Amino acid sequence: MIGTVLCYVLLPAARLLQALRDAFSTCQKNVLLAKSPSTQIEGIFAATTGRSVPEEQEALLQQWLEEEVGNLPASESVPAARKVSVTLTSAWLEGSELLMTSLSDLNTSPEVTQCADQQLLELNTLASSELQDHAVAELTRLPAEETVTAAGSAPWTAVVPQTDHQTAGCAGINVEVLNDDPAVLAWSLACDAETVPPALPAQPIQDAVPFYPVPTEVPYHEILWRDWEDLSVQPCVLEQVSENTSLFEFRVMSYNILAQDLVEQGIDLYVHCHPDILSWNYRLPNLLQEIQHWDPDVLCLQEVQENHYWEQLEPTFKEMGFACFYKRRTGTKTDGCAVCYKHSRFQLISLSPVEYFRPGLDILNRDNVGLVLLLQPVLPEDLGLKAVSPLCVANTHVLFNPRRGDIKLAQVALLLAEIDKIARTTEGSYYPVILCGDLNSVPDSPLYKFIRNGELSYHGMPAWKVSGQEDFSQQLYPRKLLAPLWPSSLGVTDKCQYVTLCQPKKLGRREYSRDFLLQFRFCDVACERPPQLVLLEGVTDAKPDRPAHWPKPAAMVKDPDPQPFIPRCSGVIQHSLNLTSVYSHFLPHRGRPEVTTMPMGLGATVDYIFYSAEPVESKAGRRLYKDGALKLLGRLSLLSEDVLLMANGLPNPFCSSDHLCLLASFGLEISSL
């Protein structure tokens, strides 16, 4: 931007006031031109300063000065021999370089020069006190300030000067004293929010380019401080762990790290964020530092972009001692789920990726996925003949769509069926299970209750109500869940078990030999004459007798080991895993609910860590649990919505995802062989 030269001479009062107004308007425009595209600012100042482009400013001012000086009387032109000019330097920073540079840094840069004390003293001495008072009085009638603001941004302001004639140092201003002119003292630019009088109301300029604050100005580490809650000292835990019982302790983290492709596809969701903190080059070090700080033994990640996983995340995690497994979403999606565990703490027994997309099934036509691992804890060698139970770890990211709770429920049922298969022991019980993921459902929603209570009656339920994310009760014809929720061809029962597991094959079953089929020759149905059959004497009017040596029909034989009949149209689904949540979803010391994400500025809990426990009783349809072989020892506290709003929501310069990480510490009982 071409530097604008504002020259003032000592003029009569009327002309001086007009010059002051023009000078003040020009200063405002120059400040805004340094922050915004010229095309936007031109429209704002058209009514005051015309539609001249920055290239014409110097020529227009020079013409104005020549006309005004030429019209002065001879008696007034003599004192005007000395002039003062204020030059706005052309070294304004633009673009992201300006946005990420604080005002204090600009003031101390080599390009910035401020008025020297000697220059200020000379100006104050030569200025006429009567003329100054008159000028300041006129300036108070002008608009107090014009401010360019954005949500959470620091203002850039042009303000009325203080009466002590102290000129505020401003970025990019060079003051060269050529003559003594009191008009110079009539305006100043505030370069810091502290110089803005608090009583003056801010007037945002419409359609101005947002100016974002410097990220380090907010003490994010203080606002977003999360406490570690030690649950091992609670009486209920101490009672279950005897002095002679040793535990295999480990930490599990669940984290939706926000895939970069999803950021770019839904950029409207992050208008509150500075563009620089949304870049992957900025977010990746933050995410890795956070994971390394909490040092989990098992890491469950969602929204992991495939190219970032193979090129950056997996190599880094391997250097940190993790063994990693990844499952990309089906179709054209570029992100997926990952499960990593420290190979010094666990060994892999089995791995089972889960794809929820099933061709031809409307209830399972989305590309979400999951991972189920069976891990064997590695005990220290000095423990001798000790053993610990294997651990089943599952990770998933369920469909987001709030209106399609039927799909969410079918996806969770399919995952639970896979967990049932992996975690089932030969005796019919289950190994301890930890289920992590972004379930896109809020606490106490029907889907949450199904996982926690082990049962859900869904028939006739509106589909939007399953997840509880949004209220579509005003919808005239909402989609409703009907029984059966999925067809029998899926091979999953209403108890969330694979059919081949809950109904073992019998010996001789489905072996249709000739003798087996011949026994139906003389059954009642075969010997009943169809009404449309033409009656032929001696042919179609006779009913043959059953030979004595033939076996009885199958309908007359009683099965000594009948299989229990499971109705497929009951509208009730169940599972037998006995899962409860690590978090209580409420902050008692703050009296507010916990949140794990902030979509569009609204806090919600959609991320969970469930773990196996022992049910003790049920009250009002809610199952209560106590720790079993897997004990919850601690957890990283979550935050409330108001705290996250103080930090400008998620993501922010401190938290580089739109979700908070979940972290829990567990203990597995170590038994003697």
Side-chain angles (χ1 to χ4, degrees):
M1 178 170 45
I2 299 177
T4 305
V5 181
L6 306 179
C7 298
Y8 299 90
V9 295
L10 297 176
L11 304 174
R15 294 181 180 177
L16 176 61
L17 295 179
Q18 182 62 36
L20 291 176
R21 292 189 180 95
D22 295 340
F24 187 78
S25 176
T26 305
C27 292
Q28 285 182 305
K29 182 173 182 179
N30 285 330
V31 171
L32 292 177
L33 284 172
K35 319 296 183 301
S36 305
S38 58
T39 55
Q40 296 186 5
I41 302 301
E42 292 298 337
I44 299 170
F45 287 87
T48 306
T49 60
R51 297 185 178 274
S52 60
V53 296
E55 291 79 2
E56 300 174 359
Q57 292 178 1
E58 188 172 354
L60 292 176
L61 288 172
Q62 186 64 32
Q63 180 182 358
W64 174 78
L65 289 173
E66 292 174 357
E67 292 177 356
E68 293 297 335
V69 173
N71 294 332
L72 285 177
S75 59
E76 296 181 3
S77 61
V78 176
R82 295 179 297 175
K83 306 174 184 178
V84 176
S85 67
V86 180
T87 304
L88 292 178
T89 183
S90 61
W92 286 95
L93 300 177
E94 298 182 357
S96 61
E97 184 179 0
L98 173 66
L99 297 180
M100 295 302 294
T101 306
S102 64
L103 294 175
S104 59
D105 294 337
L106 289 174
N107 289 334
T108 57
S109 62
E111 296 82 12
V112 178
T113 58
Q114 301 181 357
C115 294
D117 295 338
Q118 181 179 358
Q119 295 171 342
L120 290 175
L121 180 61
E122 182 181 356
L123 289 174
N124 292 334
T125 304
L126 295 176
S128 170
S129 59
E130 179 180 358
L131 186 58
Q132 294 173 23
D133 296 339
H134 186 70
V136 172
E138 288 295 322
L139 281 176
T140 55
R141 301 193 187 103
L142 297 177
E145 64 177 303
E146 294 284 343
T147 307
V148 181
T149 62
S153 65
W156 287 75
T157 315
V159 298
V160 179
Q162 304 297 327
T163 57
D164 58 357
H165 311 299
Q166 293 182 355
T167 305
C170 183
I173 298 182
N174 297 324
V175 180
E176 181 180 0
V177 180
L178 302 179
N179 281 317
D180 302 326
D181 191 347
V184 177
L185 304 176
W187 64 273
S188 64
L189 297 175
C191 66
D192 201 311
E194 295 178 357
T195 63
V196 181
L200 296 177
Q203 300 178 2
I205 296 179
Q206 299 295 329
D207 300 327
V209 175
F211 181 73
Y212 301 90
V214 179
T216 56
E217 293 178 357
V218 180
Y220 292 100
H221 64 283
E222 297 179 4
I223 296 176
L224 301 176
W225 182 263
R226 300 173 65 181
D227 296 318
W228 178 259
E229 301 177 13
D230 187 3
L231 305 179
S232 61
V233 297
Q234 293 186 355
C236 59
V237 178
L238 295 176
E239 292 176 359
Q240 300 175 29
V241 181
S242 62
E243 297 180 358
N244 299 327
T245 303
S246 56
L247 297 176
F248 176 83
E249 299 184 11
F250 60 96
R251 285 187 174 188
V252 177
M253 173 182 281
S254 179
Y255 202 175
N256 183 325
I257 63 173
L258 180 59
Q260 190 64 26
D261 283 349
L262 299 181
V263 173
E264 297 171 0
Q265 294 170 11
I267 195 65
D268 293 341
L269 300 175
Y270 310 104
V271 293
H272 64 286
C273 300
H274 190 286
D276 286 354
I277 71 172
L278 293 177
S279 69
W280 179 246
N281 291 336
Y282 180 92
R283 298 198 301 118
L284 176 61
N286 275 8
L287 295 170
L288 293 177
Q289 183 180 10
E290 187 174 9
I291 294 172
Q292 189 173 17
H293 172 75
W294 294 117
D295 192 25
D297 299 297
V298 179
L299 178 62
C300 297
L301 300 178
Q302 304 89 38
E303 289 193 19
V304 182
Q305 194 163 306
E306 185 177 26
N307 62 322
H308 292 161
Y309 172 79
W310 295 115
E311 297 171 5
Q312 296 171 310
L313 293 175
E314 187 196 36
T316 304
F317 289 152
K318 285 187 175 180
E319 293 180 359
M320 297 168 60
F322 286 100
C324 306
F325 297 92
Y326 178 75
K327 176 60 181 176
R328 184 181 65 86
R329 284 202 285 170
T330 54
T332 60
K333 309 300 182 181
T334 60
D335 66 288
C337 296
V339 176
C340 310
Y341 62 88
K342 288 189 175 179
H343 50 70
S344 61
R345 306 296 311 278
F346 295 93
Q347 291 180 350
L348 180 66
I349 299 177
S350 65
L351 167 68
S352 180
V354 183
E355 295 182 358
Y356 299 141
F357 178 79
R358 301 300 169 91
L361 295 183
D362 292 338
I363 196 69
L364 290 170
N365 61 357
R366 303 304 168 92
D367 297 316
N368 304 82
V369 295
L371 277 170
V372 182
L373 282 71
L374 188 62
L375 304 176
Q376 177 61 54
V378 177
L379 297 177
E381 296 180 357
D382 56 357
L383 288 182
L385 298 177
K386 299 287 185 179
V388 63
S389 169
L391 175 69
C392 180
V393 177
N395 181 30
T396 189
H397 189 183
V398 175
L399 176 70
F400 168 77
N401 191 341
R403 299 175 182 267
R404 295 306 304 269
D406 51 341
I407 297 180
K408 297 174 190 276
L409 202 56
Q411 290 180 348
V412 170
L414 198 57
L415 178 68
L416 294 176
E418 193 68 29
I419 296 174
D420 181 275
K421 182 183 75 171
I422 298 298
R424 184 188 289 269
T425 66
T426 55
E427 294 81 12
S429 59
Y430 295 97
Y431 295 125
V433 175
I434 295 179
L435 169 59
C436 303
D438 181 352
L439 302 182
N440 278 314
S441 302
V442 301
D444 289 330
S445 63
L447 189 144
Y448 175 88
K449 292 179 179 178
F450 167 59
I451 296 176
R452 193 183 183 282
N453 299 335
E455 183 174 307
L456 176 65
S457 178
Y458 64 86
H459 185 71
M461 179 183 297
W464 62 265
K465 196 173 183 179
V466 172
S467 65
Q469 293 168 279
E470 299 182 29
D471 186 358
F472 296 100
S473 57
Q474 303 301 324
Q475 192 175 359
L476 293 179
Y477 303 102
R479 182 191 301 268
K480 292 187 177 181
L481 276 62
L482 302 178
L485 188 60
W486 56 81
S488 58
S489 60
L490 184 62
V492 177
T493 69
D494 287 337
K495 291 185 177 295
C496 296
Q497 295 175 335
Y498 288 120
V499 174
T500 55
L501 296 178
C502 64
Q503 295 181 358
K505 183 178 180 181
K506 289 184 178 182
L507 294 177
R509 193 180 183 91
R510 296 182 180 177
E511 293 181 359
Y512 303 115
S513 61
R514 181 177 183 275
D515 293 336
F516 176 80
L517 296 176
L518 283 176
Q519 66 180 331
F520 297 99
R521 179 179 180 183
F522 299 105
C523 65
D524 295 337
V525 176
C527 296
E528 183 178 349
R529 182 179 180 278
Q532 295 83 7
L533 185 63
V534 178
L535 179 60
L536 298 177
E537 186 176 356
V539 179
T540 60
D541 61 346
K543 182 177 181 180
D545 297 329
R546 185 189 310 275
H549 65 278
W550 280 43
K552 295 182 179 179
M556 301 174 61
V557 179
K558 184 177 181 181
D559 192 346
D561 185 20
Q563 292 294 321
F565 176 71
I566 303 176
R568 291 287 291 114
C569 298
S570 61
V572 178
I573 55 177
Q574 300 172 329
H575 71 85
S576 306
L577 297 178
N578 294 327
L579 301 174
T580 187
S581 175
V582 165
Y583 290 90
S584 63
H585 316 305
F586 189 77
L587 299 171
H589 61 284
R590 296 188 59 86
R592 297 178 181 273
E594 299 172 334
V595 299
T596 64
T597 185
M598 287 275 292
M600 302 301 291
L602 300 177
T605 293
V606 297
D607 304 276
Y608 301 93
I609 299 179
F610 291 96
Y611 71 102
S612 296
E614 294 183 0
V616 290
E617 59 179 331
S618 298
K619 292 184 178 180
R622 181 179 179 86
R623 185 179 296 178
L624 302 180
Y625 292 92
K626 68 176 182 179
D627 286 349
L630 182 63
K631 305 181 187 306
L632 177 62
L633 304 180
R635 64 193 175 198
L636 182 62
S637 65
L638 291 171
L639 301 174
S640 59
E641 182 184 65
D642 60 323
V643 171
L644 290 176
L645 287 175
M646 292 172 59
N648 201 30
L650 292 173
N652 55 57
F654 191 76
C655 298
S656 288
S657 174
D658 57 350
H659 292 248
L660 295 176
C661 71
L662 278 62
L663 184 70
S665 176
F666 295 97
L668 271 173
E669 291 184 356
I670 301 176
S671 59
S672 300
L673 290 177

